[in-house]
Amino acid sequence: MSFLVDWGFIEDKWIRRWDEQKLFEADPDPSKKKYFVTVAYPYPNSPQHIGHGRTYTLADAHARYMRMKGYNVLFPMGFHYTGTPILGMSRRVAAGDKDLLDTFHNVYRLTDDVIATFVEPVKIASYFHNEIKQGMKEMGYSIDWRREFTTIDRIYSKFISWQFRTLKKKGLIVQGSHPVGWCPRDQNPVSQHDTMGDVEPDFTEYVIVKFRHVDPSNLHVPLIIPAATLRPETLFGVTNMWVNPDAEYVEATIDGGERWVVSKEAARKLEFLNHSVSVVRALKGSEMIGWQVINPLNNVTAPVYPASFVEPDSGTGIVMSVPAHAPFDYQALADLKADAATQKRFNISVAAEPVKIIESEGYSSSGSIPAAEAIQKAVPGPNESRLEKATSDLYSHEFYKGRMAMENTGKYAGMPVAEVKEQVRKDIAGSASVMYELTNKPVRCRCGAECVVKLLSDQWFLNYGDKEWKALAHECIQKMDIVPQDIRQEFDYVIDWLRERACARKSGLGTKLPWDQEWIIESLSDSVIYMAYYVIARHVNAGAITRDEAISDPFFDYVLLGNGDAQSVARESNLPLSLVEQIRDEFRYFYPVDSRHSGRDLVPNHLSFFIFNHVAIFNRENWPGQIVVNGSVLMEGKKMSKSLGNIIPLRAAIREQGADTIRLAMLISAELLQDADFSFDTARGIRSKLLGVFELAERCKGAVPAPPEQVEDRWLLSRLGRAAAETAESMDRLRVREAIHRILYSMEQDLQWYEKRAAAKGRQGSAAVKAMLAQYLQTQVRMLAPFAPFTADEVWERLGNKEEGATITQVGWPKEDKAGDPEAEESEFLVSSLLADLQNIVKVTKMAPKKIVVYTAAGWKAPVYRTVLANVAAGKTNFGETMKQLIANPETAKIKSDPNLVKKIQDDILSIPEDARIRRARLELDEVAAIKDAVSLISKEFGGAEVVVYSEDDASKYDPKAKAKMARPFKPAVFME
């Protein structure tokens, strides 16, 4: 490059300019359509890194695009302080946690003085709040900062109290005992925001089946040998029990009554499930080998066998074995039978045989064992993964398609497995219990403790299991635009399985539960309708609302729901009537949320809660209009993690690469749901493209607008109108990668073709060409503005657009024209296709032509082409029918002398893009004139060869090899010598 670009200077300049112009401050404007875009507000316990940047940049590009399309866009931002993560981090700082301090020093580059203040939780939030905000400004995010708030602001707490009282009045907040993810150190429920790695604790409910073992030394007190299972219907097929001979077990009195034998780990888990556990004695699993236990369903006796695969921390540490229907059990039993040494060690004789109790299509051959068949069907591979696959396939198949066998399942014989599962559970209720197990363990709280499942008593829950509430949520999803559409079924699935969810805890930052001050509303419950508060936050920040004690529920009922009377609300709130009415009018103007951006990991929680709470509180006209979900970000193909050392703070990346480079590199690497792979090679390529934009701006300096002179000028203008239209279509569907690719790559190919055509005519450097290049660049940077705003505004200004206030955002999206100039586009398409054909001929023949003769098709072939084209457009491609149609028409009857021509024409048409077919249906092109206009280019491409163009109809044509008759419409014939 002959010049350098000072990215830092440009970014600072435009951040100041936008701020001075108040460009992103959105107020109600009845003359404009509004568009309300929100994105998940950040949790300020660390700086944002490149992985965070994708979601926020997508939302900003969307907001900027809608502004350029003429909408009054509101794009605000708040900060989420509430919850336990900041509190946990503060405790870790106070405790001198080495891993955390290393991260602060080596990743975030914080000084000891700053870190020392972090023993106060709010100091952590405040520091990273400012860090994140500055990074957002440096990234060019078009945010209305007048509406900024934190979730511990006093009036925001009033808003949350109103939300919870409203839900409670509707009966949607209940008190009871329900399982939750739990931090045993903090003594608090935990959700995604509270855990390391933002993992949502996920748990499964197991049935504990109480097998009995009569201890000869104490006949009056039988021991309970409990096994946790997901398939109580398979109890008829139990042949034995498995225990880990090397694990530690305990005999304990449970709830002051029964004596259970469970693993030491299970005993601890039972305590969190509100059982009183009193350990009587410890024992090794090996002591239990050879015990006989009684099945509570059919009173059949089963032996206890050893198995090293039994995990003491899974379930009760005791596994019931159903080898006919559980591939792992089948394989383990077969292995134990073949293991004479183990049998001798434990003095056992293994005689158990699989008992088939379920019949299902596909696993019904006479005398077969379903588990054995499932193992055989599984794709060969490592034994563990093969058995897992066999288990998954067989369990699913039998649940949906299986029936209980006739001979050994008693009253359940012939019933579908899906029905029997619940029936057996009810029938053994006296000999069963319930256990909850984390399915994605280990999950760690941000304080460092490993989480468990706890059954909370007298806890407050949002009753997401309420059927009427679920129905409203499904209705909202059905009406809503969900982008991409593939994710819609995930939302429906989540809505279906969500149940009661703890909404309060005893510690952390946040709003106290209005009716029970011992509890604090948890962080994923106070962050679901906060978008409505952005309307109020502006007036709080402006000092118009200062006395939070005067703000009560009637204020929110009126301004957000329209309930009540403005005058009485103003009087009770001690606010001017005009202000109360202004806030109400502003809410009515901006609500509902038009587009909500978040990452895919928030679908099972935050985004679904967002839907639930909106449908519970607001009327249908204020339900959200759209949710946009994106995948995560990889770094050079790897997941970002501190252990890999590939977490790069966003501000550091901006300093090194420039904001526009980072924005584009994140957005172009994947479509929405795909994981974006950020790489520095991609960033360098993007930087080069942006430098090319600046270089073209230098070449266009001083250009004076001029009308098109040549066909290539008309073609370029047509292509620009089409690019603007097609890019807008991509952005309307938020296919951002597709849009950027068109702007940076497809348009560049058009530019290269144009410059090649102009240069072949000796027009390069002319005023007309300079004007066309300037028009191209102005169109390109207007389309680039949502994605690379600094580059776009700077280049726009350098092109001479310096009118006061005329930023590229205010100028708007370029003119869209999908129809364009069909003749110019077809002319250039014809020439480029001809060039490609000529190059292929030269490549095959290896000749260096001195003369190139081009023949266009005879006039009589044109109506043949139009007929075939119309048939293809109508989906009629039957050759025989087309021939009859052509022969029957006097204008095309001549085709009977060359039927092969129809086949070739049809193949030609099927090989071209849809837009070319539409264009040709409406156009009669003078092919001779189009090709003659490009003779200089063709000659130049083939070393100065003489180029001659004839029509097949031309009686004086030079045609020594009779090539002209091979010409087809839009497919000239060629002769070279």
Side-chain angles (χ1 to χ4, degrees):
M1 295 291 171
S2 57
F3 61 96
L4 295 174
V5 173
D6 187 339
W7 300 99
F9 173 81
I10 291 170
E11 289 162 3
D12 290 343
K13 166 186 170 181
W14 287 103
I15 290 170
R16 285 196 309 274
R17 182 84 62 85
W18 297 331
D19 193 44
E20 290 165 0
Q21 294 178 336
K22 303 184 186 304
L23 192 61
F24 310 126
E25 294 183 1
D27 294 319
D29 181 351
S31 69
K32 281 186 172 184
K33 284 187 177 181
K34 65 89 183 183
Y35 201 81
F36 188 5
V37 181
T38 69
V39 63
Y41 53 15
Y43 197 86
N45 64 339
S46 65
Q48 288 195 308
H49 55 70
I50 284 177
H52 296 119
R54 184 185 186 197
T55 302
Y56 292 88
T57 305
L58 276 165
D60 182 64
H62 190 189
R64 285 179 171 275
Y65 168 73
M66 295 305 289
R67 276 193 202 93
M68 295 189 75
K69 295 286 282 187
Y71 286 84
N72 182 20
V73 174
L74 174 58
F75 180 36
M77 189 61 62
F79 290 85
H80 195 191
Y81 281 30
T82 46
T84 58
I86 290 172
L87 191 64
M89 180 176 279
S90 178
R91 289 174 180 170
R92 291 173 67 195
V93 171
D97 185 296
K98 185 178 182 304
D99 287 343
L100 182 60
L101 296 179
D102 282 349
T103 299
F104 284 157
H105 285 127
N106 302 322
V107 179
Y108 303 152
R109 306 295 180 189
L110 302 183
T111 64
D112 288 333
D113 289 346
V114 170
I115 296 171
T117 69
F118 286 179
V119 292
E120 295 181 47
V122 174
K123 289 289 178 66
I124 295 176
S126 177
Y127 179 87
F128 288 122
H129 172 157
N130 293 327
E131 179 77 8
I132 293 168
K133 180 177 178 179
Q134 190 57 35
M136 288 180 168
K137 287 186 171 184
E138 291 170 2
M139 280 290 282
Y141 295 158
S142 55
I143 291 167
D144 184 349
W145 287 109
R146 298 174 304 161
R147 301 173 186 274
E148 177 184 4
F149 67 88
T150 82
T151 55
I152 60 170
D153 291 351
R154 295 195 311 269
I155 294 178
Y156 183 81
S157 288
K158 291 272 188 174
F159 165 71
I160 295 302
S161 296
W162 165 80
Q163 173 196 338
F164 266 65
R165 275 192 287 263
T166 301
L167 292 171
K168 192 167 187 291
K169 286 175 190 173
K170 291 174 178 282
L172 299 175
I173 295 179
V174 296
Q175 192 174 28
S177 297
H178 297 283
V180 296
W182 180 260
C183 173
R185 182 181 297 168
D186 286 342
Q187 294 289 294
N188 261 329
V190 292
S191 58
Q192 182 181 24
H193 286 186
D194 308 306
T195 62
M196 292 183 178
D198 291 329
V199 177
E200 178 73 22
D202 186 22
F203 46 86
T204 301
E205 180 180 311
Y206 288 85
V207 176
I208 294 182
V209 181
K210 299 178 184 178
F211 290 80
R212 302 189 313 279
H213 167 61
V214 179
D215 183 353
S217 65
N218 189 356
L219 296 174
H220 300 292
V221 184
L223 291 178
I224 301 298
I225 311 299
T229 182
L230 292 170
R231 303 186 73 192
E233 74 278 9
T234 63
L235 272 166
F236 285 107
V238 172
T239 60
N240 62 282
M241 309 294 282
W242 301 113
V243 298
N244 188 323
D246 300 317
E248 295 181 16
Y249 290 78
V250 295
E251 180 184 329
T253 302
I254 305 298
D255 300 328
E258 295 175 335
R259 297 272 283 273
W260 289 19
V261 177
V262 294
S263 68
K264 186 173 72 173
E265 293 84 351
R268 178 174 179 266
K269 287 186 288 188
L270 288 170
E271 290 178 337
F272 285 110
L273 298 176
N274 292 345
H275 291 287
S276 66
V277 179
S278 178
V279 175
V280 176
R281 69 183 180 107
L283 66 159
K284 280 282 192 181
S286 55
E287 297 177 45
M288 302 163 64
I289 307 303
W291 284 6
Q292 298 289 322
V293 300
I294 300 171
N295 187 324
L297 187 63
N298 56 12
N299 289 319
V300 172
T301 300
V304 176
Y305 288 159
S308 58
F309 65 78
V310 173
E311 297 177 7
D313 192 33
S314 180
T316 61
I318 298 169
V319 176
M320 68 182 214
S321 174
V322 188
H325 302 280
F328 275 100
D329 292 339
Y330 180 87
Q331 190 64 54
L333 189 60
D335 291 345
L336 183 59
K337 284 183 176 181
D339 187 352
T342 297
Q343 292 185 48
K344 183 177 180 182
R345 175 189 168 195
F346 293 107
N347 192 27
I348 57 173
S349 175
V350 181
E353 292 292 338
V355 177
K356 183 177 177 180
I357 60 168
I358 297 172
E359 299 279 358
S360 60
E361 184 181 346
Y363 293 91
S364 56
S365 55
S366 178
S368 68
I369 299 299
E373 284 192 56
I375 294 171
Q376 290 173 350
K377 290 178 181 180
V379 177
N383 196 47
E384 184 84 6
S385 61
R386 190 179 186 198
L387 290 174
E388 284 177 358
K389 180 69 167 63
T391 298
S392 174
D393 291 348
L394 181 58
Y395 279 19
S396 176
H397 184 88
E398 290 187 336
F399 181 79
Y400 291 107
K401 298 182 179 180
R403 288 184 175 274
M404 303 303 287
M406 301 299 292
E407 68 281 0
N408 58 0
T409 56
K411 67 177 184 179
Y412 309 105
M415 290 176 61
V417 169
E419 293 178 18
V420 173
K421 179 172 185 162
E422 288 307 312
Q423 190 60 48
V424 169
R425 186 170 177 168
K426 290 177 184 176
D427 290 348
I428 64 167
S431 300
S433 184
V434 170
M435 188 173 200
Y436 298 94
E437 187 81 71
L438 279 173
T439 53
N440 55 343
K441 62 184 180 183
V443 176
R444 292 194 175 275
C445 176
R446 288 185 187 270
C447 74
E450 185 170 339
C451 299
V452 297
V453 180
K454 180 170 175 59
L455 193 62
L456 280 186
S457 299
D458 300 323
Q459 165 70 320
W460 293 100
F461 294 87
L462 283 159
N463 188 17
Y464 290 135
D466 183 277
K467 290 182 180 179
E468 291 182 9
W469 201 3
K470 284 182 185 290
L472 286 175
H474 280 302
E475 181 187 337
C476 181
I477 291 169
Q478 187 177 9
K479 293 178 178 178
M480 190 189 304
D481 180 25
I482 294 181
V483 182
Q485 280 292 329
D486 318 39
I487 207 80
R488 184 181 296 276
Q489 62 186 17
E490 281 191 35
F491 277 101
D492 279 320
Y493 173 74
V494 171
I495 298 301
D496 281 335
W497 68 250
L498 270 174
R499 48 188 182 266
E500 298 86 354
R501 188 180 189 283
C503 61
R505 58 191 52 185
K506 292 292 181 75
S507 66
L509 303 178
T511 301
K512 291 195 179 285
L513 200 61
W515 57 86
D516 191 342
Q517 297 287 301
E518 290 184 7
W519 295 90
I520 295 169
I521 296 168
E522 65 90 33
S523 63
L524 273 178
S525 298
D526 78 348
S527 62
V528 286
I529 63 162
Y530 67 84
M531 313 82 208
Y533 186 76
Y534 283 124
V535 171
I536 299 168
R538 175 168 83 90
H539 301 282
V540 175
N541 295 340
I545 304 175
T546 56
R547 294 182 54 198
D548 61 286
E549 66 275 7
I551 302 299
S552 58
D553 286 3
F555 170 80
F556 297 107
D557 283 338
Y558 179 73
V559 299
L560 300 180
L561 301 180
N563 297 334
D565 171 69
Q567 288 186 334
S568 60
V569 167
R571 186 170 54 252
E572 291 174 19
S573 303
N574 197 25
L575 294 173
L577 175 62
S578 60
L579 177 62
V580 171
E581 291 179 333
Q582 181 186 355
I583 296 172
R584 173 61 185 159
D585 289 345
E586 189 169 331
F587 177 81
R588 291 172 66 191
Y589 176 81
F590 280 118
Y591 235 68
V593 172
D594 293 288
S595 185
R596 175 78 182 148
H597 285 254
S598 280
R600 187 175 191 168
D601 58 317
L602 297 185
V603 172
N605 43 68
H606 177 83
L607 287 174
S608 294
F609 304 159
F610 163 72
I611 294 169
F612 265 111
N613 283 266
H614 268 83
V615 302
I617 292 174
F618 296 103
N619 293 330
R620 283 174 172 80
E621 65 266 22
N622 282 325
W623 289 1
Q626 180 186 68
I627 288 178
V628 181
V629 180
N630 60 268
S632 59
V633 179
L634 306 176
M635 176 64 71
E636 305 281 3
K638 296 177 181 176
K639 187 176 179 179
M640 292 188 190
S641 73
K642 285 177 286 199
S643 62
L644 293 174
N646 62 357
I647 290 181
I648 300 176
L650 198 54
R651 295 187 69 192
I654 294 168
R655 286 191 293 272
E656 182 180 337
Q657 300 288 334
D660 284 348
T661 299
I662 298 296
R663 289 172 66 109
L664 288 167
M666 283 191 294
L667 297 181
I668 201 172
S669 61
E671 287 297 357
L672 276 174
L673 270 192
Q674 299 170 332
D675 287 343
D677 187 4
F678 182 90
S679 79
F680 288 103
D681 281 345
T682 300
R684 282 186 285 272
I686 293 292
R687 173 72 71 92
S688 176
K689 290 288 181 190
L690 294 179
L691 286 172
V693 171
F694 277 97
E695 184 183 41
L696 183 56
E698 289 292 306
R699 292 168 52 198
C700 292
K701 272 186 177 178
V704 177
E709 295 179 350
Q710 301 280 335
V711 66
E712 63 267 22
D713 299 343
R714 290 166 45 210
W715 173 83
L716 182 62
L717 294 179
S718 183
R719 293 293 294 171
L720 292 177
R722 181 184 296 278
E726 291 176 348
T727 304
E729 286 178 0
S730 296
M731 282 303 292
D732 290 341
R733 302 194 312 274
L734 284 171
R735 295 188 61 82
V736 175
R737 180 179 183 272
E738 182 178 275
I740 297 172
H741 194 277
R742 185 178 292 108
I743 296 165
L744 288 183
Y745 297 94
S746 301
M747 287 182 68
E748 185 178 55
Q749 291 173 1
D750 289 348
L751 178 65
Q752 290 170 351
W753 174 259
Y754 172 78
E755 292 199 276
K756 182 190 285 190
R757 286 279 276 126
K761 292 181 178 180
R763 301 179 65 217
Q764 69 271 38
S766 70
V769 169
K770 196 172 182 181
M772 289 300 114
L773 294 179
Q775 191 152 349
Y776 165 88
L777 186 55
Q778 291 191 61
T779 303
Q780 185 186 38
V781 294
R782 284 165 72 180
M783 293 162 63
L784 192 59
F787 316 106
F790 297 108
T791 296
D793 257 325
E794 181 66 19
V795 169
W796 182 255
E797 186 177 82
R798 291 189 186 192
L799 287 172
N801 302 296
K802 295 187 178 181
E803 310 95 282
E804 186 176 348
T807 64
I808 205 162
T809 296
Q810 292 157 311
V811 172
W813 193 255
K815 181 182 177 183
E816 300 172 30
D817 185 3
K818 212 166 181 185
D821 186 332
E823 184 179 52
E825 289 212 36
E826 193 54 53
S827 292
E828 297 306 297
F829 187 75
L830 176 67
V831 170
S832 63
S833 299
L834 175 60
L835 267 181
D837 288 345
L838 292 171
Q839 286 161 351
N840 284 334
I841 293 169
V842 168
K843 185 177 179 181
V844 171
T845 62
K846 296 184 171 31
M847 69 183 297
K850 301 295 184 202
K851 184 172 184 175
I852 300 173
V853 186
V854 180
Y855 310 98
T856 63
W860 72 269
K861 295 179 181 177
V864 173
Y865 189 92
R866 285 194 294 272
T867 300
V868 177
L869 181 61
N871 284 353
V872 170
K876 301 173 184 176
T877 56
N878 183 280
F879 172 73
E881 291 179 6
T882 300
M883 280 300 297
K884 285 179 186 177
Q885 181 183 357
L886 290 168
I887 292 170
N889 185 347
E891 190 181 16
T892 55
K894 192 175 179 180
I895 194 64
K896 62 186 175 184
S897 63
D898 188 7
N900 197 43
L901 177 63
V902 176
K903 289 184 178 179
K904 290 181 177 179
I905 286 176
Q906 185 167 290
D907 289 342
D908 290 343
I909 291 168
L910 291 171
S911 71
I912 61 174
E914 183 66 26
D915 62 329
R917 296 181 201 174
I918 295 170
R919 193 167 59 230
R920 291 179 182 181
R922 302 170 181 169
L923 182 69
E924 289 189 21
L925 182 68
D926 185 342
E927 294 186 39
V928 171
I931 297 169
K932 282 185 175 179
D933 186 78
V935 161
S936 59
L937 173 63
I938 298 170
S939 176
K940 187 176 180 180
E941 289 289 306
F942 295 97
E946 179 188 359
V947 180
V948 186
V949 185
Y950 296 106
S951 166
E952 181 186 349
D953 291 329
D954 189 340
S956 63
K957 63 183 176 291
Y958 176 71
D959 190 13
K961 297 291 186 180
K963 293 281 189 179
K965 64 183 178 182
M966 300 170 66
R968 304 190 293 278
F970 303 103
K971 193 74 172 175
V974 175
F975 169 69
M976 290 184 181
E977 60 182 18

